[in-house]
Amino acid sequence: MAYIRKYRDAWRAEIQRNGIRTSKVFSTKREAQAWALEQEATAKRARAGGNKSFGDAVDRYQADVSSTKAGAKWEIARLEVMRDFFGADAGLLDIDSPHIAAWRDARLKTVSASTVVREANLLRNLFNLARKEWKWIDHAPFDGVKLPKENPPRHQLWTWQLIKRVLRAPRTGKTAEMQAAFHIALRTGMRLQEVLAAPGDFDPRRSVVTTKTKTEIRGQIPIGRIAAKLLARPAFTVGANEGSVLFSKLCRELLINGLTFHDTRGTALTHLARKVDVMTLARISRHKDLKILMNHYYRETSDQIAARI
């Protein structure tokens, strides 16, 4: 119940919500009434949504949505960081576009624009479910929030000269494993995590690796003759995160700058594009959107194409 009363030369609006009395002073009675109505509507929406917190939304999303995806680990970790930023006890109804914009600006200080966009899509989906399916909120916090432009696609390719430098460098232990993983990735176009699991997932009779991917629970990856020989090896003992660090260290030691393990995927698919048609290439890369394949992973330059035609 709201109370509007005269206060000196102004008007005071008072409401009681969840046992707490709140008041605000306005210059006109109309402003006081409008504020009181807005507060009562917010309280009504909160009761209808069960007064859910951001932490409640994160818990439900992780259990109902993230747990069903191949990329569950990444989503759960990102949502935990978001929980820390917004506050687990923050009311879901209280989070609006200024809060989202503050989160965006804070993330842009530590990560790239492309990372912010990926994380924002995750957060947007959480709020969309809370609004459309769970009926916990009736507003869209992302309305009016401008997201940064993603980083331009990488164009770097591993040249044979640099590839030989990496493969011929005398190394032992887990760094040597990363050299082998590097060779397999260049022959298959697989991502690092897929490569590290590939020896155990490879069926030599069918020449196919069956593995989990970022977008599929069960990915079928065709393997060529040379790659099949490379996969006839013991299981890798190095993990993806550790392996990425070791490979970056190896590149620095060999004075190789501007290239990453991830660039092996673009290099492999660019080389394969000379051997197979585009639909076959898409089956090898498991891309459903040919625009992503062309813009991000087919990296042959115009000069290189001109030299072949």
Side-chain angles (χ1 to χ4, degrees), residues 158 160 162-168 175-192 195-196 198 223-231 233 236 247 250 260-261 263-265 267-269 271-272:
W158 281 94
W160 288 114
L162 294 177
I163 290 170
K164 290 176 182 177
R165 191 189 300 180
V166 171
L167 295 179
R168 293 176 180 176
T175 301
E177 288 191 17
M178 285 306 300
Q179 289 173 297
F182 174 70
H183 199 178
I184 294 170
L186 287 167
R187 292 291 181 178
T188 63
M190 288 192 290
R191 304 176 181 92
L192 175 56
V195 170
L196 297 180
I223 301 299
R225 178 175 52 83
I226 297 176
K229 293 181 179 179
L230 296 174
L231 286 172
R233 55 158 291 124
F236 288 101
F247 188 79
L250 175 61
T260 67
F261 191 99
D263 290 320
T264 59
R265 185 161 165 79
T267 302
L269 295 177
H271 291 166
L272 285 169

Side-chain angles (χ1 to χ4, degrees), residues 211-265:
T211 186
K212 290 184 177 181
T213 69
K214 290 174 65 177
T215 56
E216 299 174 294
I217 296 298
R218 188 171 179 269
Q220 297 283 317
I221 307 170
I223 301 299
R225 178 175 52 83
I226 297 176
K229 293 181 179 179
L230 296 174
L231 286 172
R233 55 158 291 124
F236 288 101
T237 61
V238 64
N241 292 334
E242 180 187 17
S244 181
V245 172
L246 289 173
F247 188 79
S248 297
K249 181 181 178 181
L250 175 61
C251 288
R252 288 195 300 271
E253 292 173 353
L254 298 176
L255 303 180
I256 298 174
N257 300 313
L259 285 162
T260 67
F261 191 99
H262 183 67
D263 290 320
T264 59
R265 185 161 165 79

